[in-house]
Amino acid sequence: MEPLRVLELYSGVGGMHHALRESCIPAQVVAAIDVNTVANEVYKYNFPHTQLLAKTIEVLMEFPKIESVHPQKYTMDVENKIQEKNIEPNISFDSSTQCSGKDAILFKLETAEEIHRKNQQDSDLSVKMLKDFLEDDTDMNQYLLPPKSLLRYALLLDIVQPTCRRSVCFTKGYGSYIEGTGSVLQTAEDVQIENIYKSLTKLSQEEQITKLLMLKLRYFTPKEIANLLGFPPEFGMWDTCRIQLSCIKTLKNL
């Protein structure tokens, strides 16, 4: 059997390429395509001999060139759609959203059913704890959530501890957007999260921030996310991702 010739679309940092290599299937990635410049830098670092195209996949097919008719309008429409997709609600602490039964909100907009599901996941001994994937030689202060984000998005955060055995899926919006982009890590393990959230609605904003800061919530580092996704220790150039995350956090606080 001749080796497969693989075209890697939406190549990102090379997850599929690495998985293909680990599978031992006879194959050659003849080209990879992605428009994300940061991801492409990481890809080139780890797979320097693979042709990498910084283009959209449309340039490879007979799709009609819609943007050529009214290029300015096309660009504006695309930008507007992206902005609409990334807008996040301004959540405030409001106990009036409570309901009854299994859907009753206990704290942090989580129902009893959701908490039970998470507890079951954390009880699965076949899955490693998050602490097995964490870095211990990195300055984590740069990854702490700022007070502004804590106050605005506290009810939306998916918070995990080092002893948890689960997290939500990490997306490319992680570090830039809060809702649905990935979990954040509670590093103050001796603080009970239930006690922090149950008292928030009765506090002033300053007191809420003080309470939330007690959790010492931080983002996962790029290397930690790579560890969770199964990339090998030698998979490199995560400093590029660190710089991007740092820049995003700086811009958000301006």
Side-chain angles (χ1 to χ4, degrees):
M1 177 180 175
E2 293 186 1
L4 298 174
R5 290 171 55 82
V6 178
L7 174 62
E8 190 175 11
L9 305 178
Y10 306 108
S11 53
V13 298
M16 191 193 80
H17 194 148
H18 173 68
L20 185 62
R21 176 186 290 177
E22 291 292 305
S23 72
C24 298
I25 295 175
Q28 177 190 4
V29 179
V30 296
I33 299 177
D34 203 296
V35 296
N36 188 301
T37 56
V38 175
N40 285 346
E41 287 298 317
V42 178
Y43 192 102
K44 284 190 293 185
Y45 181 84
N46 291 280
F47 307 104
H49 303 299
T50 300
Q51 182 182 13
L52 179 60
L53 305 175
K55 299 180 179 180
T56 61
I57 64 171
E58 286 82 0
V59 301
L60 305 177
M61 307 179 183
E62 302 312 327
F63 293 150
K65 300 293 183 178
I66 300 175
E67 68 272 21
S68 64
V69 181
H70 301 290
Q72 292 182 341
K73 183 179 184 302
Y74 178 82
T75 301
M76 292 178 62
D77 289 344
V78 171
E79 291 178 350
N80 289 337
K81 288 180 180 179
I82 293 175
Q83 291 177 359
E84 289 173 2
K85 183 179 179 180
N86 289 331
I87 289 177
E88 294 182 335
N90 186 1
I91 302 297
S92 59
F93 302 107
D94 184 1
S95 58
S96 64
T97 58
Q98 305 290 324
C99 50
S100 59
K102 68 177 181 179
D103 295 326
I105 295 173
L106 303 183
F107 64 94
K108 204 171 70 62
L109 295 185
E110 290 185 330
T111 64
E113 186 176 31
E114 290 170 334
I115 293 176
H116 177 68
R117 173 179 55 80
K118 291 181 178 181
N119 288 337
Q120 282 188 316
Q121 291 174 324
D122 288 332
S123 300
D124 186 352
L125 300 182
S126 67
V127 179
K128 290 183 177 181
M129 292 183 178
L130 291 176
K131 65 181 181 181
D132 294 327
F133 302 90
L134 302 181
E135 294 186 278
D136 56 8
D137 58 351
T138 302
D139 177 17
M140 295 304 175
N141 289 329
Q142 61 181 314
Y143 296 103
L144 290 173
L145 272 68
K148 179 180 177 181
S149 296
L150 288 174
L151 184 61
R152 187 173 183 182
Y153 299 113
L155 298 182
L156 297 177
L157 295 172
D158 181 76
I159 300 174
V160 293
Q161 296 178 339
T163 53
C164 289
R165 303 175 188 271
R166 61 157 200 91
S167 72
V168 298
C169 180
F170 294 96
T171 73
K172 68 178 182 180
Y174 190 66
S176 178
Y177 301 100
I178 299 293
E179 185 178 11
T181 61
S183 302
V184 295
L185 185 67
Q186 177 188 338
T187 57
E189 298 182 67
D190 57 333
V191 179
Q192 294 296 317
I193 186 173
E194 294 89 346
N195 296 337
I196 297 296
Y197 274 87
K198 284 182 178 178
S199 61
L200 281 178
T201 56
K202 302 177 182 179
L203 304 177
S204 65
Q205 287 192 353
E206 292 75 14
E207 291 172 323
Q208 289 175 11
I209 292 176
T210 300
K211 279 280 189 181
L212 292 168
L213 286 173
M214 293 173 61
L215 295 171
K216 296 184 180 179
L217 300 177
R218 71 164 175 88
Y219 293 105
F220 284 83
T221 71
K223 181 60 177 176
E224 290 170 344
I225 296 174
N227 294 340
L228 287 167
L229 294 178
F231 285 95
E234 65 272 15
F235 201 86
M237 206 166 175
W238 292 105
D239 283 343
T240 301
C241 297
R242 293 181 196 276
I243 293 171
Q244 184 193 43
L245 180 60
S246 178
C247 290
I248 289 172
K249 291 176 66 178
T250 300
L251 289 173
K252 285 179 66 179
N253 291 319
L254 290 179

